[in-house]
Amino acid sequence: MRDTVLLHAIKSAILALFFMVALPAFADEQVRFDKEPLLIQTAAGKVLHFTVEIASTPDQRAYGLMFRKTMADDAGMIFDFDEPRRVTMWMENTILPLDMLFADDTGTIRHIKENATPYSRDIIDSMSPVKYVVELNAGIAAKLGIKPGDRIVSATTTKKSK
């Protein structure tokens, strides 16, 4: 009886380990993102260049940058929410610390959450209706002087509404 319980516990542990290792890899294979250039025009007159992945479907927005271990300084992700609304996000399963730029339907940045904590379940609130969220590596907003009132411009932000 004790051997059966021990064998069952070992099988369960192996199965759990498999899912911990394999699930992120499987999920990564299922969610694909297109890329596009994105500019941030600062009030100070600078134009900052990035290449971002586009998260425009519910599955893409739910997956976002989860499980990523690295990202180039000039890379990021833009979340397109179709219509302006108050947005809440969190960092569960997100390894990288991030800066989040919350922008309205004109691309104007309304709020910035700097240095979002990896793996945190704390709610990050847009504070007002937004249509876009741009995620960049933590520290980039401060390093480059990105502030509310600056504007994001990309093919996603300039496309016509449905």
Side-chain angles (χ1 to χ4, degrees), residues 72-98:
D73 284 347
D74 65 346
M77 181 171 283
I78 185 168
F79 294 75
D80 180 354
F81 289 93
D82 294 322
E83 297 292 326
R85 64 182 188 216
R86 195 157 178 176
V87 172
T88 57
M89 301 177 90
W90 65 358
M91 295 284 291
E92 184 176 29
N93 297 319
T94 305
I95 298 168
L96 298 170
L98 299 171

PDB file of all heavy atoms in Angstrom, residues 72-98:
ATOM      1  N   ALA A  72      15.018  43.234 -26.466  1.00  0.00           N
ATOM      2  CA  ALA A  72      15.938  44.296 -26.868  1.00  0.00           C
ATOM      3  C   ALA A  72      15.457  45.641 -26.327  1.00  0.00           C
ATOM      4  O   ALA A  72      14.250  45.844 -26.114  1.00  0.00           O
ATOM      5  CB  ALA A  72      16.045  44.348 -28.387  1.00  0.00           C
ATOM      6  N   ASP A  73      16.389  46.565 -26.103  1.00  0.00           N
ATOM      7  CA  ASP A  73      16.029  47.894 -25.580  1.00  0.00           C
ATOM      8  C   ASP A  73      15.096  48.658 -26.502  1.00  0.00           C
ATOM      9  O   ASP A  73      14.329  49.497 -26.039  1.00  0.00           O
ATOM     10  CB  ASP A  73      17.286  48.733 -25.327  1.00  0.00           C
ATOM     11  CG  ASP A  73      18.021  48.304 -24.070  1.00  0.00           C
ATOM     12  OD1 ASP A  73      17.450  47.543 -23.263  1.00  0.00           O
ATOM     13  OD2 ASP A  73      19.168  48.750 -23.893  1.00  0.00           O
ATOM     14  N   ASP A  74      15.145  48.379 -27.806  1.00  0.00           N
ATOM     15  CA  ASP A  74      14.287  49.099 -28.754  1.00  0.00           C
ATOM     16  C   ASP A  74      13.078  48.257 -29.179  1.00  0.00           C
ATOM     17  O   ASP A  74      12.476  48.504 -30.215  1.00  0.00           O
ATOM     18  CB  ASP A  74      15.088  49.555 -29.974  1.00  0.00           C
ATOM     19  CG  ASP A  74      15.615  48.389 -30.795  1.00  0.00           C
ATOM     20  OD1 ASP A  74      15.604  47.235 -30.307  1.00  0.00           O
ATOM     21  OD2 ASP A  74      16.053  48.632 -31.941  1.00  0.00           O
ATOM     22  N   ALA A  75      12.737  47.270 -28.373  1.00  0.00           N
ATOM     23  CA  ALA A  75      11.605  46.377 -28.664  1.00  0.00           C
ATOM     24  C   ALA A  75      10.502  46.582 -27.628  1.00  0.00           C
ATOM     25  O   ALA A  75      10.707  47.195 -26.582  1.00  0.00           O
ATOM     26  CB  ALA A  75      12.067  44.926 -28.667  1.00  0.00           C
ATOM     27  N   GLY A  76       9.341  46.052 -27.938  1.00  0.00           N
ATOM     28  CA  GLY A  76       8.220  46.123 -27.009  1.00  0.00           C
ATOM     29  C   GLY A  76       7.003  45.450 -27.598  1.00  0.00           C
ATOM     30  O   GLY A  76       7.095  44.687 -28.566  1.00  0.00           O
ATOM     31  N   MET A  77       5.853  45.745 -27.016  1.00  0.00           N
ATOM     32  CA  MET A  77       4.587  45.207 -27.493  1.00  0.00           C
ATOM     33  C   MET A  77       3.533  46.296 -27.383  1.00  0.00           C
ATOM     34  O   MET A  77       3.492  47.028 -26.398  1.00  0.00           O
ATOM     35  CB  MET A  77       4.171  43.983 -26.667  1.00  0.00           C
ATOM     36  CG  MET A  77       2.861  43.346 -27.132  1.00  0.00           C
ATOM     37  SD  MET A  77       2.530  41.757 -26.326  1.00  0.00           S
ATOM     38  CE  MET A  77       3.643  40.685 -27.239  1.00  0.00           C
ATOM     39  N   ILE A  78       2.683  46.388 -28.421  1.00  0.00           N
ATOM     40  CA  ILE A  78       1.534  47.290 -28.364  1.00  0.00           C
ATOM     41  C   ILE A  78       0.266  46.445 -28.263  1.00  0.00           C
ATOM     42  O   ILE A  78       0.083  45.498 -29.027  1.00  0.00           O
ATOM     43  CB  ILE A  78       1.473  48.251 -29.568  1.00  0.00           C
ATOM     44  CG1 ILE A  78       0.313  49.244 -29.383  1.00  0.00           C
ATOM     45  CG2 ILE A  78       1.379  47.509 -30.891  1.00  0.00           C
ATOM     46  CD1 ILE A  78       0.319  50.407 -30.350  1.00  0.00           C
ATOM     47  N   PHE A  79      -0.559  46.764 -27.288  1.00  0.00           N
ATOM     48  CA  PHE A  79      -1.859  46.133 -27.100  1.00  0.00           C
ATOM     49  C   PHE A  79      -2.907  47.068 -27.682  1.00  0.00           C
ATOM     50  O   PHE A  79      -2.972  48.237 -27.287  1.00  0.00           O
ATOM     51  CB  PHE A  79      -2.150  45.916 -25.609  1.00  0.00           C
ATOM     52  CG  PHE A  79      -1.229  44.936 -24.943  1.00  0.00           C
ATOM     53  CD1 PHE A  79       0.075  45.281 -24.616  1.00  0.00           C
ATOM     54  CD2 PHE A  79      -1.671  43.662 -24.624  1.00  0.00           C
ATOM     55  CE1 PHE A  79       0.931  44.383 -23.996  1.00  0.00           C
ATOM     56  CE2 PHE A  79      -0.821  42.749 -24.000  1.00  0.00           C
ATOM     57  CZ  PHE A  79       0.477  43.110 -23.689  1.00  0.00           C
ATOM     58  N   ASP A  80      -3.703  46.574 -28.614  1.00  0.00           N
ATOM     59  CA  ASP A  80      -4.779  47.351 -29.228  1.00  0.00           C
ATOM     60  C   ASP A  80      -6.102  46.812 -28.685  1.00  0.00           C
ATOM     61  O   ASP A  80      -6.447  45.651 -28.914  1.00  0.00           O
ATOM     62  CB  ASP A  80      -4.714  47.210 -30.749  1.00  0.00           C
ATOM     63  CG  ASP A  80      -5.790  47.984 -31.479  1.00  0.00           C
ATOM     64  OD1 ASP A  80      -6.697  48.560 -30.826  1.00  0.00           O
ATOM     65  OD2 ASP A  80      -5.737  48.016 -32.713  1.00  0.00           O
ATOM     66  N   PHE A  81      -6.831  47.660 -27.953  1.00  0.00           N
ATOM     67  CA  PHE A  81      -8.083  47.240 -27.325  1.00  0.00           C
ATOM     68  C   PHE A  81      -9.323  47.610 -28.139  1.00  0.00           C
ATOM     69  O   PHE A  81     -10.434  47.590 -27.620  1.00  0.00           O
ATOM     70  CB  PHE A  81      -8.176  47.809 -25.902  1.00  0.00           C
ATOM     71  CG  PHE A  81      -7.212  47.146 -24.956  1.00  0.00           C
ATOM     72  CD1 PHE A  81      -5.958  47.685 -24.733  1.00  0.00           C
ATOM     73  CD2 PHE A  81      -7.539  45.960 -24.325  1.00  0.00           C
ATOM     74  CE1 PHE A  81      -5.049  47.072 -23.882  1.00  0.00           C
ATOM     75  CE2 PHE A  81      -6.638  45.330 -23.473  1.00  0.00           C
ATOM     76  CZ  PHE A  81      -5.401  45.890 -23.249  1.00  0.00           C
ATOM     77  N   ASP A  82      -9.142  47.991 -29.417  1.00  0.00           N
ATOM     78  CA  ASP A  82     -10.226  48.300 -30.360  1.00  0.00           C
ATOM     79  C   ASP A  82     -10.989  49.581 -30.033  1.00  0.00           C
ATOM     80  O   ASP A  82     -11.136  50.440 -30.866  1.00  0.00           O
ATOM     81  CB  ASP A  82     -11.216  47.139 -30.506  1.00  0.00           C
ATOM     82  CG  ASP A  82     -10.587  45.917 -31.140  1.00  0.00           C
ATOM     83  OD1 ASP A  82      -9.769  46.083 -32.064  1.00  0.00           O
ATOM     84  OD2 ASP A  82     -10.883  44.801 -30.691  1.00  0.00           O
ATOM     85  N   GLU A  83     -11.496  49.682 -28.831  1.00  0.00           N
ATOM     86  CA  GLU A  83     -12.263  50.850 -28.402  1.00  0.00           C
ATOM     87  C   GLU A  83     -11.667  51.391 -27.109  1.00  0.00           C
ATOM     88  O   GLU A  83     -11.221  50.610 -26.272  1.00  0.00           O
ATOM     89  CB  GLU A  83     -13.729  50.471 -28.148  1.00  0.00           C
ATOM     90  CG  GLU A  83     -14.477  49.983 -29.381  1.00  0.00           C
ATOM     91  CD  GLU A  83     -14.698  51.080 -30.399  1.00  0.00           C
ATOM     92  OE1 GLU A  83     -14.884  52.250 -29.999  1.00  0.00           O
ATOM     93  OE2 GLU A  83     -14.671  50.773 -31.607  1.00  0.00           O
ATOM     94  N   PRO A  84     -11.698  52.707 -26.919  1.00  0.00           N
ATOM     95  CA  PRO A  84     -11.188  53.255 -25.647  1.00  0.00           C
ATOM     96  C   PRO A  84     -11.990  52.718 -24.462  1.00  0.00           C
ATOM     97  O   PRO A  84     -13.223  52.633 -24.522  1.00  0.00           O
ATOM     98  CB  PRO A  84     -11.399  54.764 -25.800  1.00  0.00           C
ATOM     99  CG  PRO A  84     -11.460  54.999 -27.272  1.00  0.00           C
ATOM    100  CD  PRO A  84     -12.108  53.764 -27.846  1.00  0.00           C
ATOM    101  N   ARG A  85     -11.277  52.325 -23.426  1.00  0.00           N
ATOM    102  CA  ARG A  85     -11.905  51.824 -22.197  1.00  0.00           C
ATOM    103  C   ARG A  85     -10.861  51.849 -21.084  1.00  0.00           C
ATOM    104  O   ARG A  85      -9.667  51.941 -21.337  1.00  0.00           O
ATOM    105  CB  ARG A  85     -12.453  50.424 -22.386  1.00  0.00           C
ATOM    106  CG  ARG A  85     -11.380  49.380 -22.665  1.00  0.00           C
ATOM    107  CD  ARG A  85     -12.016  48.023 -22.891  1.00  0.00           C
ATOM    108  NE  ARG A  85     -11.021  46.990 -22.961  1.00  0.00           N
ATOM    109  CZ  ARG A  85     -11.088  45.949 -23.755  1.00  0.00           C
ATOM    110  NH1 ARG A  85     -12.120  45.806 -24.545  1.00  0.00           N
ATOM    111  NH2 ARG A  85     -10.143  45.037 -23.750  1.00  0.00           N
ATOM    112  N   ARG A  86     -11.324  51.766 -19.880  1.00  0.00           N
ATOM    113  CA  ARG A  86     -10.398  51.653 -18.758  1.00  0.00           C
ATOM    114  C   ARG A  86      -9.812  50.246 -18.788  1.00  0.00           C
ATOM    115  O   ARG A  86     -10.543  49.265 -18.910  1.00  0.00           O
ATOM    116  CB  ARG A  86     -11.121  51.917 -17.448  1.00  0.00           C
ATOM    117  CG  ARG A  86     -10.165  52.162 -16.323  1.00  0.00           C
ATOM    118  CD  ARG A  86     -10.825  52.937 -15.228  1.00  0.00           C
ATOM    119  NE  ARG A  86      -9.898  53.112 -14.123  1.00  0.00           N
ATOM    120  CZ  ARG A  86     -10.190  53.813 -13.062  1.00  0.00           C
ATOM    121  NH1 ARG A  86     -11.343  54.417 -12.964  1.00  0.00           N
ATOM    122  NH2 ARG A  86      -9.305  53.920 -12.089  1.00  0.00           N
ATOM    123  N   VAL A  87      -8.504  50.152 -18.706  1.00  0.00           N
ATOM    124  CA  VAL A  87      -7.804  48.877 -18.850  1.00  0.00           C
ATOM    125  C   VAL A  87      -7.106  48.534 -17.544  1.00  0.00           C
ATOM    126  O   VAL A  87      -6.506  49.412 -16.917  1.00  0.00           O
ATOM    127  CB  VAL A  87      -6.765  48.974 -19.998  1.00  0.00           C
ATOM    128  CG1 VAL A  87      -5.886  47.737 -20.039  1.00  0.00           C
ATOM    129  CG2 VAL A  87      -7.446  49.195 -21.330  1.00  0.00           C
ATOM    130  N   THR A  88      -7.193  47.272 -17.155  1.00  0.00           N
ATOM    131  CA  THR A  88      -6.408  46.781 -16.019  1.00  0.00           C
ATOM    132  C   THR A  88      -5.583  45.602 -16.493  1.00  0.00           C
ATOM    133  O   THR A  88      -6.038  44.784 -17.297  1.00  0.00           O
ATOM    134  CB  THR A  88      -7.298  46.362 -14.828  1.00  0.00           C
ATOM    135  OG1 THR A  88      -8.232  45.379 -15.260  1.00  0.00           O
ATOM    136  CG2 THR A  88      -8.045  47.557 -14.255  1.00  0.00           C
ATOM    137  N   MET A  89      -4.347  45.546 -16.002  1.00  0.00           N
ATOM    138  CA  MET A  89      -3.425  44.480 -16.382  1.00  0.00           C
ATOM    139  C   MET A  89      -2.719  43.993 -15.122  1.00  0.00           C
ATOM    140  O   MET A  89      -2.832  44.624 -14.079  1.00  0.00           O
ATOM    141  CB  MET A  89      -2.411  45.020 -17.404  1.00  0.00           C
ATOM    142  CG  MET A  89      -3.078  45.567 -18.662  1.00  0.00           C
ATOM    143  SD  MET A  89      -1.916  46.281 -19.831  1.00  0.00           S
ATOM    144  CE  MET A  89      -1.533  44.851 -20.820  1.00  0.00           C
ATOM    145  N   TRP A  90      -1.971  42.899 -15.257  1.00  0.00           N
ATOM    146  CA  TRP A  90      -1.132  42.425 -14.177  1.00  0.00           C
ATOM    147  C   TRP A  90       0.071  41.724 -14.771  1.00  0.00           C
ATOM    148  O   TRP A  90       0.152  41.541 -15.982  1.00  0.00           O
ATOM    149  CB  TRP A  90      -1.887  41.580 -13.185  1.00  0.00           C
ATOM    150  CG  TRP A  90      -2.447  40.267 -13.693  1.00  0.00           C
ATOM    151  CD1 TRP A  90      -2.374  39.769 -14.962  1.00  0.00           C
ATOM    152  CD2 TRP A  90      -3.142  39.311 -12.936  1.00  0.00           C
ATOM    153  NE1 TRP A  90      -2.994  38.556 -15.028  1.00  0.00           N
ATOM    154  CE2 TRP A  90      -3.472  38.247 -13.792  1.00  0.00           C
ATOM    155  CE3 TRP A  90      -3.515  39.220 -11.617  1.00  0.00           C
ATOM    156  CZ2 TRP A  90      -4.168  37.123 -13.366  1.00  0.00           C
ATOM    157  CZ3 TRP A  90      -4.203  38.098 -11.202  1.00  0.00           C
ATOM    158  CH2 TRP A  90      -4.535  37.071 -12.065  1.00  0.00           C
ATOM    159  N   MET A  91       1.007  41.324 -13.929  1.00  0.00           N
ATOM    160  CA  MET A  91       2.291  40.799 -14.385  1.00  0.00           C
ATOM    161  C   MET A  91       2.476  39.307 -14.092  1.00  0.00           C
ATOM    162  O   MET A  91       3.592  38.805 -14.198  1.00  0.00           O
ATOM    163  CB  MET A  91       3.427  41.598 -13.722  1.00  0.00           C
ATOM    164  CG  MET A  91       3.485  43.044 -14.124  1.00  0.00           C
ATOM    165  SD  MET A  91       4.178  43.280 -15.760  1.00  0.00           S
ATOM    166  CE  MET A  91       5.878  42.819 -15.458  1.00  0.00           C
ATOM    167  N   GLU A  92       1.414  38.611 -13.722  1.00  0.00           N
ATOM    168  CA  GLU A  92       1.554  37.188 -13.428  1.00  0.00           C
ATOM    169  C   GLU A  92       2.150  36.475 -14.640  1.00  0.00           C
ATOM    170  O   GLU A  92       1.745  36.726 -15.770  1.00  0.00           O
ATOM    171  CB  GLU A  92       0.208  36.566 -13.067  1.00  0.00           C
ATOM    172  CG  GLU A  92       0.348  35.120 -12.659  1.00  0.00           C
ATOM    173  CD  GLU A  92      -0.946  34.500 -12.190  1.00  0.00           C
ATOM    174  OE1 GLU A  92      -2.006  34.925 -12.648  1.00  0.00           O
ATOM    175  OE2 GLU A  92      -0.876  33.587 -11.361  1.00  0.00           O
ATOM    176  N   ASN A  93       3.133  35.628 -14.432  1.00  0.00           N
ATOM    177  CA  ASN A  93       3.844  34.882 -15.470  1.00  0.00           C
ATOM    178  C   ASN A  93       4.688  35.766 -16.392  1.00  0.00           C
ATOM    179  O   ASN A  93       5.139  35.312 -17.434  1.00  0.00           O
ATOM    180  CB  ASN A  93       2.893  34.023 -16.303  1.00  0.00           C
ATOM    181  CG  ASN A  93       2.218  32.970 -15.469  1.00  0.00           C
ATOM    182  OD1 ASN A  93       2.839  32.354 -14.616  1.00  0.00           O
ATOM    183  ND2 ASN A  93       0.939  32.777 -15.685  1.00  0.00           N
ATOM    184  N   THR A  94       4.899  37.006 -16.016  1.00  0.00           N
ATOM    185  CA  THR A  94       5.758  37.906 -16.793  1.00  0.00           C
ATOM    186  C   THR A  94       7.084  38.029 -16.056  1.00  0.00           C
ATOM    187  O   THR A  94       7.132  38.513 -14.925  1.00  0.00           O
ATOM    188  CB  THR A  94       5.087  39.281 -16.988  1.00  0.00           C
ATOM    189  OG1 THR A  94       3.795  39.075 -17.573  1.00  0.00           O
ATOM    190  CG2 THR A  94       5.922  40.164 -17.898  1.00  0.00           C
ATOM    191  N   ILE A  95       8.131  37.579 -16.710  1.00  0.00           N
ATOM    192  CA  ILE A  95       9.464  37.522 -16.109  1.00  0.00           C
ATOM    193  C   ILE A  95      10.144  38.883 -16.114  1.00  0.00           C
ATOM    194  O   ILE A  95      10.828  39.256 -15.171  1.00  0.00           O
ATOM    195  CB  ILE A  95      10.320  36.475 -16.860  1.00  0.00           C
ATOM    196  CG1 ILE A  95       9.687  35.084 -16.731  1.00  0.00           C
ATOM    197  CG2 ILE A  95      11.765  36.488 -16.383  1.00  0.00           C
ATOM    198  CD1 ILE A  95      10.271  34.037 -17.667  1.00  0.00           C
ATOM    199  N   LEU A  96       9.951  39.623 -17.205  1.00  0.00           N
ATOM    200  CA  LEU A  96      10.636  40.908 -17.375  1.00  0.00           C
ATOM    201  C   LEU A  96       9.944  42.031 -16.613  1.00  0.00           C
ATOM    202  O   LEU A  96       8.715  42.162 -16.695  1.00  0.00           O
ATOM    203  CB  LEU A  96      10.647  41.301 -18.862  1.00  0.00           C
ATOM    204  CG  LEU A  96      11.362  40.379 -19.827  1.00  0.00           C
ATOM    205  CD1 LEU A  96      11.056  40.797 -21.265  1.00  0.00           C
ATOM    206  CD2 LEU A  96      12.843  40.416 -19.560  1.00  0.00           C
ATOM    207  N   PRO A  97      10.677  42.886 -15.907  1.00  0.00           N
ATOM    208  CA  PRO A  97      10.063  44.110 -15.380  1.00  0.00           C
ATOM    209  C   PRO A  97       9.763  45.032 -16.568  1.00  0.00           C
ATOM    210  O   PRO A  97      10.536  45.073 -17.535  1.00  0.00           O
ATOM    211  CB  PRO A  97      11.135  44.687 -14.452  1.00  0.00           C
ATOM    212  CG  PRO A  97      12.420  44.082 -14.912  1.00  0.00           C
ATOM    213  CD  PRO A  97      12.091  42.777 -15.557  1.00  0.00           C
ATOM    214  N   LEU A  98       8.641  45.717 -16.523  1.00  0.00           N
ATOM    215  CA  LEU A  98       8.195  46.505 -17.674  1.00  0.00           C
ATOM    216  C   LEU A  98       7.781  47.911 -17.290  1.00  0.00           C
ATOM    217  O   LEU A  98       7.335  48.155 -16.174  1.00  0.00           O
ATOM    218  CB  LEU A  98       6.990  45.821 -18.340  1.00  0.00           C
ATOM    219  CG  LEU A  98       7.207  44.412 -18.897  1.00  0.00           C
ATOM    220  CD1 LEU A  98       5.872  43.805 -19.315  1.00  0.00           C
ATOM    221  CD2 LEU A  98       8.178  44.435 -20.059  1.00  0.00           C
TER     222      LEU A  98
END
